[in-house]
Amino acid sequence: MMMKVVIATHNKDKLKEIKKGLSTLKLDLIDLFSFPDIGEIVEDGETLRENALIKAKTVYELTGIPAIADDTGLEVDALDGKPGVYTARFAGENCSYMDNVNKMLEVMQEIKKPDRGAFFKTVMAFYDGKKELFVEGIVKGIITENKKGLAGFGYDPIFYVVEEGKTFAEMTIEQKNIISHRGRAIKKLLPKLNLYFNNKNTTKESA
């Protein structure tokens, strides 16, 4: 029987990327839509790492199943590293992806191209009641002056990756997962989870 792991997010776009990234693991990956009683989890940490762990711990405590969670921040040079932990609610509580994108374009309106540097950072946390695992993925880019591309979600239409010559919204999910912040975090998480579950299975067999 495959080990169950809950991906602790209600965000369907994020869920799709994480499930695809972890698909090589022999795990039964379930999501929060299997637990309708679990509502929005309050992310009141001061860092991405704290927020990721809050989500993973909360879901484990409510389900008794090991959980994986992530928190992602966009840090813009010209805004002194903001919005950071407030990335998802940059335009206010209950705002849409496009609200955030439009606000970012608005506040960056007078910023010239050489000063539009930014980076995306994702911290992922795994928690099983005892063990905590963390990984981090970072990608550098530029905030564009206009939206480009129709794929992806969040700030993808305005986050341009110089090496690729495209915004995230101009990439397929496969292309994005190779070079994105979340894709890089997942790549680091895979060997840690493999080692964790192999050790767990070895312990069971020798018991």
Side-chain angles (χ1 to χ4, degrees):
M1 182 188 286
M2 284 199 292
M3 173 77 77
K4 283 189 165 96
V5 175
V6 186
I7 300 172
T9 182
H10 285 104
N11 184 316
K12 291 181 181 179
D13 297 305
K14 190 184 282 192
L15 189 62
K16 196 188 297 180
E17 287 188 1
I18 295 173
K19 277 192 169 181
K20 194 163 190 69
L22 296 178
S23 60
T24 56
L25 293 175
K26 291 179 181 176
L27 296 174
D28 181 6
L29 296 170
I30 53 182
D31 54 59
L32 290 188
F33 297 102
S34 302
F35 304 95
D37 292 339
I38 299 179
E40 286 302 314
I41 297 165
V42 177
E43 300 172 41
D44 53 5
E46 293 182 8
T47 63
L48 300 176
R49 182 183 172 113
E50 285 176 13
N51 280 339
L53 187 59
I54 285 168
K55 286 184 275 192
K57 276 189 168 181
T58 301
V59 169
Y60 172 79
E61 284 158 9
L62 291 171
T63 65
I65 302 170
I68 292 169
D70 87 336
D71 200 31
T72 293
L74 174 64
E75 302 189 10
V76 181
D77 297 342
L79 303 181
D80 297 322
K82 293 175 183 172
V85 291
Y86 301 104
T87 295
R89 49 193 188 277
F90 184 49
E93 295 297 330
N94 304 313
C95 60
S96 68
Y97 291 151
M98 210 42 66
D99 292 336
N100 283 329
V101 166
N102 289 336
K103 180 174 179 184
M104 183 61 70
L105 288 176
E106 186 184 329
V107 300
M108 295 284 286
Q109 203 167 6
E110 304 300 321
I111 308 295
K112 303 298 181 192
K113 191 174 179 180
D115 302 316
R116 296 178 75 91
F119 63 87
F120 257 124
K121 182 192 288 185
T122 289
V123 177
M124 301 190 81
F126 170 86
Y127 184 71
D128 70 348
K130 292 180 182 175
K131 185 82 172 172
E132 296 175 7
L133 297 175
F134 294 96
V135 291
E136 184 182 280
I138 296 173
V139 63
K140 290 182 179 178
I142 292 169
I143 302 298
T144 57
E145 294 174 350
N146 302 291
K147 299 167 208 163
K148 295 178 182 179
L150 299 171
F153 63 99
Y155 296 83
D156 286 0
I158 60 170
F159 190 83
Y160 180 85
V161 183
V162 177
E163 293 82 357
E164 300 297 316
K166 295 177 181 177
T167 65
F168 277 154
E170 295 177 292
M171 301 178 194
T172 64
I173 189 171
E174 289 81 9
Q175 289 172 321
K176 184 184 171 187
N177 262 0
I178 291 169
I179 59 104
S180 77
H181 44 295
R182 186 169 293 108
R184 288 175 177 179
I186 290 168
K187 195 174 178 181
K188 290 179 184 175
L189 187 61
L190 283 168
K192 288 195 173 193
L193 288 179
N194 261 326
L195 185 63
Y196 168 84
F197 286 111
N198 284 340
N199 286 344
K200 210 166 179 64
N201 289 334
T202 305
T203 304
K204 272 186 186 176
E205 286 165 11
S206 60

